Amino acid sequence: MTFQISVPDVYPLSFVDDNDHEKTNLALLYDRYKDRFTTFPKEKGWMTEDLYMYQGFWHQSKNVVSVETVMATQDSFKAHPSDVYLATLPKSGTTWLKALAFAIVNRNRYKNKPPSTHPLQNSNPHNCLPFVETEVLRTSPTYDNAHTPRLYATHMPYTSLPQSILDSSCRIVYMCRNPKDVLVSLFHFANSLRGQSRDLMTFEEGFDMFCKGVIPNGPYWDHVNRYYKVSLEQPTRILFLTYEEMKMDTRNNVKLLAKFLGHPFTEEEEGKGVVEEIMSLCGFENLSEVNKHGSLSIGIPNHAFFREGKVGDWRNHLTIEMGQNVDQITKEKFHCWDLLLNTCL
């Protein structure tokens, strides 16, 4: 059955509440939850000063996607049965997946308008599709009653999702990426955001932390494992994608994503090249060009989300021994899952 996902125009999504409100609300959440999470196990952070372990996973603090916003989301967020959530670990293709989902479900809205006016030609995908974790920072919700079903992204582990999501019939799209490429991408991303107040992380330091599972929203293997297991149990509810397959066969996977989202391409659209237009619009080359300048309201430069976007860049960073170490952990964690092993080794 086809259902419609309505996403507001990009500008209502680009943190219409001014940044001061967001910072104020984040500070209030920190004060509300700090007596709890500051007692949790703690490790040195990648982008933020510390990571705290909550419900078996590491989370940043004083960040829009953080232990505070996860806890607040669990306490207050109410899912709708028709919601769709795009779930990823950081640096696993989140920006690309957001762009594709936004372009797919909104293609009819912009088809008769000049291409240059499309939101993805003028703004970062993160401004077009919100993280569910950021809803608790808004003075008004992203979606009003006229915009249902709703489309959100999240970095939360499956077991940390709000109970209202777990209990609902909403759909989830999960995308995983080879852990060695996630490590490399996260390393470069973290160093680009550290600024002058903190020393740059060495690759060896990042490698050791990654192998211990100490990354934002990690351990990597536990995050992927749980979503994959549930996708096998509930294949009509969770669509499990891999970054590598998306890169290798983008056209068929975009069609698969569109069908899962309830917006399958018609034969006429395929004949007119609509699938290819969306692929081009959301491609790395176009998005990186659009996002050369400017920054998100949270201060992250737009260009920080577009470094390489390649499969296998880990070979330029990991030694043979490092690669073998990550592969061994992956085999131990994914020993039952042939698809994951084939993707992640």
Side-chain angles (χ1 to χ4, degrees):
M1 182 176 68
T2 299
F3 62 96
Q4 297 296 311
I5 299 175
S6 299
V7 181
D9 286 325
V10 62
Y11 297 109
L13 283 183
S14 11
F15 297 95
V16 221
D17 306 331
D18 76 28
N19 201 27
D20 287 341
H21 285 163
E22 185 178 290
K23 289 179 179 177
T24 298
N25 290 337
L26 185 57
L28 290 172
L29 289 184
Y30 181 87
D31 289 339
R32 182 189 305 172
Y33 293 102
K34 66 180 179 181
D35 288 343
R36 288 179 58 192
F37 74 76
T38 53
T39 66
F40 297 164
K42 183 172 72 171
E43 289 279 357
K44 183 169 57 175
W46 290 65
M47 288 80 79
T48 56
E49 185 174 351
D50 298 309
L51 289 173
Y52 294 91
M53 176 166 277
Y54 175 56
Q55 297 181 333
F57 291 85
W58 295 102
H59 296 274
Q60 302 178 92
S61 178
K62 299 180 180 178
N63 192 283
V64 293
V65 178
S66 62
V67 63
E68 304 100 288
T69 57
V70 168
M71 295 171 81
T73 300
Q74 290 176 333
D75 286 345
S76 62
F77 185 78
K78 300 301 180 186
H80 295 174
S82 56
D83 287 350
V84 177
Y85 299 89
L86 312 178
T88 58
L89 268 168
K91 315 315 300 173
S92 296
T94 309
T95 309
W96 188 27
L97 184 59
K98 278 190 172 189
L100 286 170
F102 180 85
I104 288 168
V105 303
N106 287 284
R107 64 184 185 269
N108 289 329
R109 178 178 299 182
Y110 300 107
K111 70 177 181 179
N112 295 321
K113 298 180 180 180
S116 60
T117 65
H118 195 286
L120 290 173
Q121 295 286 31
N122 298 282
S123 186
N124 193 295
H126 293 291
N127 286 333
C128 299
L129 198 159
F131 280 102
V132 68
E133 293 93 321
T134 64
E135 287 301 285
V136 293
L137 301 177
R138 300 182 183 278
T139 55
S140 58
T142 296
Y143 296 92
D144 58 31
N145 291 332
H147 290 106
T148 56
R150 307 171 305 176
L151 184 61
Y152 287 109
T154 185
H155 285 321
M156 280 188 276
Y158 183 82
T159 50
S160 292
L161 292 171
Q163 195 63 42
S164 63
I165 294 179
L166 297 177
D167 291 341
S168 75
S169 57
C170 62
R171 301 185 185 193
I172 297 172
V173 178
Y174 187 83
M175 186 153 76
C176 85
R177 187 183 188 186
N178 184 299
K180 292 171 285 191
D181 279 334
V182 172
L183 163 61
V184 169
S185 184
L186 181 61
F187 167 75
H188 286 289
F189 186 73
N191 272 344
S192 72
L193 300 184
R194 281 196 162 211
Q196 299 179 350
S197 61
R198 302 179 65 197
D199 293 335
L200 294 181
M201 176 185 290
T202 67
F203 189 74
E204 290 73 18
E205 181 183 8
F207 173 80
D208 289 341
M209 293 172 68
F210 188 92
C211 289
K212 290 193 298 182
V214 183
I215 63 169
N217 304 94
Y220 166 92
W221 299 275
D222 296 348
H223 198 284
V224 175
N225 249 333
R226 185 57 181 171
Y227 277 101
Y228 185 64
K229 182 176 185 295
V230 179
S231 77
L232 297 179
E233 297 168 350
Q234 305 177 46
T236 60
R237 182 169 175 249
I238 297 186
L239 173 64
F240 192 95
L241 303 172
T242 71
Y243 187 85
E244 290 71 25
E245 288 180 340
M246 287 288 290
K247 281 286 189 178
M248 183 172 59
D249 188 2
T250 306
R251 189 177 191 277
N252 280 327
N253 278 286
V254 167
K255 289 172 59 178
L256 178 65
L257 176 61
K259 183 178 180 180
F260 185 82
L261 293 174
H263 283 257
F265 294 99
T266 65
E267 290 186 10
E268 182 182 5
E269 285 179 315
E270 290 192 45
K272 290 182 176 179
V274 174
V275 180
E276 286 75 15
E277 289 175 4
I278 288 178
M279 289 167 53
S280 177
L281 174 67
C282 301
F284 182 87
E285 294 76 13
N286 182 63
L287 291 181
S288 59
E289 181 66 27
V290 170
N291 288 276
K292 278 186 174 180
H293 307 290
S295 62
L296 301 183
S297 68
I298 55 178
I300 300 179
N302 287 329
H303 65 77
F305 296 98
F306 305 93
R307 190 185 67 85
E308 293 284 346
K310 296 178 180 177
V311 172
D313 186 43
W314 63 267
R315 293 183 177 87
N316 299 317
H317 295 77
L318 275 72
T319 65
I320 293 176
E321 183 180 2
M322 284 177 167
Q324 291 174 341
N325 286 344
V326 176
D327 287 348
Q328 184 58 40
I329 298 171
T330 302
K331 289 176 183 177
E332 292 171 358
K333 298 289 186 178
F334 292 166
H335 63 91
C336 293
W337 316 123
D338 289 341
L339 171 61
L340 292 184
L341 280 173
N342 292 335
T343 299
C344 296
L345 294 182

